[in-house]
């Protein structure tokens, strides 16, 4: 597995994360500790693995489990690509705009201190755009909102990225197209909405603490907060793929980290004031502090759907639009087809052009033989296709943990479990992992 520079910064011999946790223990949110620990153990076979054996040369491979954490760079990048791919097929085949809604710089710390505002912040952004379309054009648009809490310098800068249909569905099912947004008018309205949102959700005591910031944000931004929605050019599917990846991207790409010397981190960023690419060097402690701020709270959804894309009405809207498009022969909704997430094998074939289930030595296929997972904190055999596979898994567990299984100990109940017969293709679909070692 390739070296992950972020993993080095957190967990190398300098033990920066452990020192940071000891120093700022009470201030660190529980979800941050949980996600960072998942990141630390991602790909560690001591937390579970699957066993594959080549049917030709009997080469043995052990595939560790993924953590699937929200902070893990490896897992999150793969999830972003897959979500973007599915998005292309889920949304209507019409022009969309990528709308960006920001707030005053002085209000960023208000949202950092009061994270309860972030969910309502997303709701208000969607309602703001939806009401404009409903009042002006009598249509219900499709809106997907993504929350970014980070700026280019990994600073806390909450803002919204909206994927909005340019047009919407009328009550009779007709689709009406519209492609103009009055930015100047919308900016002032957005400013009012954000300031009212903060005043509405904070307590009287909390409002006293931020009143000065609210007043300054109103007077310093006479034209309102930033609202931007550039017109999209080119193929609709390509637009959606790019915007989808952008909406769900992580706080920092590993490619932006240029140097780490054990005490300082240097990374690239684009300065929005002059459009120039610059570098910044900070201490590891500062780098970690900036990065963990962007880990969302437990169960918090950073992507939400509104309008005709809202989950509770999306299927109904598709049926209504499908009936209308047949009469006018204008295809907005694709014919219904089953969408499924790609397996790890399919992703690797698409990305690298090689089948990870084909042995590089003899070009035969690897077969699934079983797996081990944690049970009550101990690594145990969860399933084995035969006694030989079980013994092989047990030896691997002994090598990893240094704990030998006692002779004569009663076999696990999992050995008597009955599993249906599967084809090689079906067995390979059980993999949803990223590394083969």
């Amino acid at each position: 597995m390739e070296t992950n520079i972020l993993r080095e910064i957190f967990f190398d011999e300098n033990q920066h994360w452990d020192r940071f946790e000891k120093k700022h223990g009470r201030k660190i949110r529980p979800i941050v500790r949980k996600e960072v620990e998942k990141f630390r153990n991602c790909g560690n076979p001591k937390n579970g693995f699957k066993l594959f054996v080549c049917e030709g040369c009997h080469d043995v491979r052990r595939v560790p489990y993924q953590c699937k954490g929200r902070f893990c760079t490896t897992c999150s990048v793969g999830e972003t690509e897959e979500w973007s791919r599915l998005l292309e097929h889920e949304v209507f085949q019409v022009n969309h705009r990528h709308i960006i809604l920001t707030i005053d710089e002085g209000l960023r710390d208000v949202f950092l201190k009061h994270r309860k505002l972030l969910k309502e912040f997303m709701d208000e952004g969607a309602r703001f755009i939806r009401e404009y379309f409903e009042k002006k054009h009598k249509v219900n648009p499709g809106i997907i909102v993504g929350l970014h809490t980070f700026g280019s310098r990994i600073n806390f800068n909450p803002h919204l990225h909206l994927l909005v249909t340019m047009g919407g569905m009328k009550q009779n099912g007709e689709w009406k197209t519209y492609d103009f947004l009055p930015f100047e008018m919308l900016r002032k309205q957005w400013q009012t909405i954000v300031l009212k949102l903060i005043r509405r959700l904070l307590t009287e005591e909390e409002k006293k603490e931020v009143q000065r910031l609210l007043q300054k944000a109103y007077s310093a931004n006479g034209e309102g907060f930033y609202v931007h929605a550039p017109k999209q050019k080119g193929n609709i599917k390509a637009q959606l793929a790019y915007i989808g990846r952008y909406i769900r991207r992580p706080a920092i790409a590993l490619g932006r980290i240029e140097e780490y010397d054990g005490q300082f981190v240097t990374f690239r960023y684009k300065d929005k004031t002059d459009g120039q690419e610059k570098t910044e060097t900070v201490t590891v402690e500062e780098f970690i502090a900036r990065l963990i701020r962007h880990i969302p709270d437990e169960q918090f959804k950073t992507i939400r759907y509104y309008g005709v894309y809202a989950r509770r009405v999306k299927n109904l809207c598709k049926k209504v639009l499908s009936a209308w498009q047949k009469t006018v022969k204008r295809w907005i909704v694709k014919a219904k087809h089953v969408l499924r997430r790609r397996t790890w094998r399919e992703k690797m074939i698409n990305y690298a052009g090689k089948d990870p289930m084909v042995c590089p030595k003899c070009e035969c296929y690897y077969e699934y033989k079983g797996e081990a997972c944690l049970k009550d904190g101990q690594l145990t055999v969860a399933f084995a296709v035969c006694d030989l596979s079980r013994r092989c898994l047990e030896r691997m567990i002994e090598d990893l943990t240094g704990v030998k299984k006692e002779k004569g100990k009663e076999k696990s109940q999992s050995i008597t479990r009955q599993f249906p017969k599967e084809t090689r293709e079906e067995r390979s679909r059980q993999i949803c992992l990223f590394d083969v070692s």
Side-chain angles (χ1 to χ4, degrees):
M1 185 168 56
E2 293 183 3
T3 302
N4 186 315
I5 185 65
L6 197 61
R7 191 187 299 274
E8 284 189 21
I9 294 171
F10 272 70
F11 311 119
D12 68 1
E13 64 275 6
N14 294 297
Q15 300 181 347
H16 289 298
W17 168 248
D18 294 331
R19 292 181 180 180
F20 184 91
E21 189 176 21
K22 186 176 181 180
K23 181 178 179 180
H24 304 280
R26 294 183 179 180
K27 298 179 181 178
I28 300 175
R29 290 175 291 144
I31 185 62
V32 171
R33 287 196 180 92
K34 177 181 176 182
E35 292 296 330
V36 172
E37 285 305 312
K38 287 168 68 175
F39 175 49
R40 185 205 294 264
N41 295 313
C42 186
N44 186 347
K46 291 184 178 181
N47 292 316
F49 60 89
K50 294 189 178 184
L51 174 65
F52 293 87
V53 179
C54 174
E55 61 184 2
C57 66
H58 305 297
D59 179 50
V60 177
R61 287 200 168 181
R62 185 179 63 199
V63 184
Y65 289 156
Q66 263 185 312
C67 72
K68 298 181 180 178
R70 305 177 81 174
F71 183 69
C72 178
T73 49
T74 303
C75 298
S76 62
V77 168
E79 284 297 308
T80 297
E81 289 291 335
E82 187 65 10
W83 181 80
S84 175
R85 184 187 71 86
L86 295 174
L87 181 70
E88 299 175 28
H89 302 280
E90 280 290 311
V91 299
F92 301 154
Q93 301 304 295
V94 297
N95 284 325
H96 289 69
R97 286 279 193 98
H98 178 193
I99 299 179
I100 304 168
L101 303 177
T102 70
I103 62 173
D104 183 82
E105 184 176 350
L107 298 181
R108 295 173 184 175
D109 286 342
V110 177
F111 283 85
L112 176 60
K113 186 177 180 180
H114 305 284
R115 286 179 172 267
K116 62 184 179 182
L117 298 172
L118 292 174
K119 197 273 181 182
E120 292 293 331
F121 182 53
M122 298 177 72
D123 292 343
E124 288 296 314
R127 184 185 63 80
F128 162 58
I129 297 297
R130 183 179 178 182
E131 286 186 354
Y132 168 76
F133 277 89
E134 289 178 343
K135 292 178 181 179
K136 186 71 176 179
H137 311 292
K138 310 295 187 228
V139 297
N140 186 13
I143 303 173
I144 300 175
V145 180
L147 171 68
H148 283 188
T149 57
F150 49 86
S152 57
R153 297 173 59 195
I154 332 177
N155 54 311
F156 194 82
N157 176 18
H159 58 283
L160 302 178
H161 292 268
L162 293 81
L163 182 64
V164 182
T165 57
M166 283 295 95
M169 190 180 74
K170 299 171 71 173
Q171 288 188 349
N172 61 0
E174 177 185 350
W175 186 268
K176 182 179 178 182
T177 302
Y178 187 74
D179 199 31
F180 173 74
L181 290 172
F183 294 128
E184 296 303 321
M185 180 187 74
L186 294 176
R187 288 182 63 181
K188 197 63 180 176
Q189 291 182 10
W190 176 236
Q191 180 189 47
T192 303
I193 288 171
V194 172
L195 296 178
K196 285 185 176 180
L197 165 70
I198 296 173
R199 289 193 173 99
R200 186 176 76 249
L201 296 181
L202 296 187
T203 64
E204 291 299 323
E205 192 65 29
E206 292 169 339
K207 279 189 284 188
K208 290 180 181 179
E209 296 177 1
V210 303
Q211 180 59 39
R212 180 181 57 83
L213 297 175
L214 297 177
Q215 187 61 42
K216 185 177 179 181
Y218 179 79
S219 58
N221 287 278
E223 297 179 355
F225 298 157
Y226 186 74
V227 177
H228 186 51
K231 287 189 176 182
Q232 305 297 321
K233 297 180 180 179
N235 182 271
I236 291 177
K237 289 188 69 175
Q239 295 174 19
L240 295 174
Y242 168 75
I243 296 172
R245 288 192 298 270
Y246 190 88
I247 286 177
R248 194 162 173 156
R249 69 189 178 97
I252 186 170
L254 296 184
R256 286 176 55 197
I257 302 176
E258 293 198 332
E259 186 179 358
Y260 164 61
D261 62 4
Q263 299 300 323
F264 295 91
V265 179
T266 301
F267 62 91
R268 296 194 317 274
Y269 71 95
K270 186 175 182 180
D271 192 334
K272 298 296 179 64
T273 59
D274 56 15
Q276 299 295 316
E277 190 171 83
K278 301 178 181 179
T279 61
E280 182 174 359
T281 301
V282 297
T283 63
V284 173
E285 182 179 351
E286 173 65 19
F287 182 78
I288 292 176
R290 290 191 192 184
L291 208 54
I292 63 174
R293 290 175 180 175
H294 310 299
I295 297 177
D297 288 340
E298 190 85 41
Q299 303 298 324
F300 184 88
K301 294 178 175 60
T302 57
I303 305 288
R304 298 177 187 270
Y305 302 81
Y306 303 86
V308 294
Y309 287 157
R311 298 188 186 279
R312 65 181 181 279
V313 299
K314 180 175 65 176
N315 290 334
L316 176 61
C317 291
K318 282 188 174 182
K319 290 180 181 179
V320 174
L321 276 173
S322 295
W324 171 80
Q325 68 184 8
K326 291 177 182 178
T327 63
V328 297
K329 299 190 181 304
R330 180 184 171 196
W331 309 113
I332 292 177
V333 179
K334 286 186 176 181
K336 186 175 182 180
H337 61 286
V338 178
L339 291 176
R340 66 173 179 83
R341 297 178 66 85
R342 290 181 299 185
T343 62
W344 168 79
R345 180 184 186 183
E346 292 169 333
K347 292 177 186 177
M348 291 301 295
I349 291 174
N350 181 68
Y351 178 75
K354 295 181 180 180
D355 189 342
M357 293 300 294
V358 174
C359 177
K361 299 178 181 178
C362 67
E363 297 187 351
C364 291
Y365 283 95
Y366 284 100
E367 291 187 315
Y368 171 74
K369 293 297 183 180
E371 57 190 284
C373 65
L374 288 176
K375 183 178 181 181
D376 298 327
Q378 293 185 342
L379 191 60
T380 58
V381 177
F383 169 68
V385 298
C386 61
D387 288 340
L388 182 61
S389 299
R390 173 172 290 276
R391 290 196 295 272
C392 181
L393 285 165
E394 288 173 349
R395 286 197 301 271
M396 288 183 170
I397 292 174
E398 289 177 4
D399 292 340
L400 286 169
T401 61
V403 179
K404 292 186 178 181
K405 183 179 178 182
E406 297 179 8
K407 291 184 178 181
K409 190 174 182 180
E410 187 178 352
K411 293 183 179 180
S412 171
Q413 293 180 356
S414 62
I415 196 171
T416 62
R417 290 171 59 189
Q418 298 298 316
F419 287 80
K421 292 183 179 180
E422 298 169 309
T423 65
R424 180 186 295 115
E425 176 68 21
E426 288 172 333
R427 284 196 298 271
S428 68
R429 287 187 184 280
Q430 298 179 62
I431 313 176
C432 55
L433 311 165
F434 70 93
D435 181 48
V436 178
S437 59

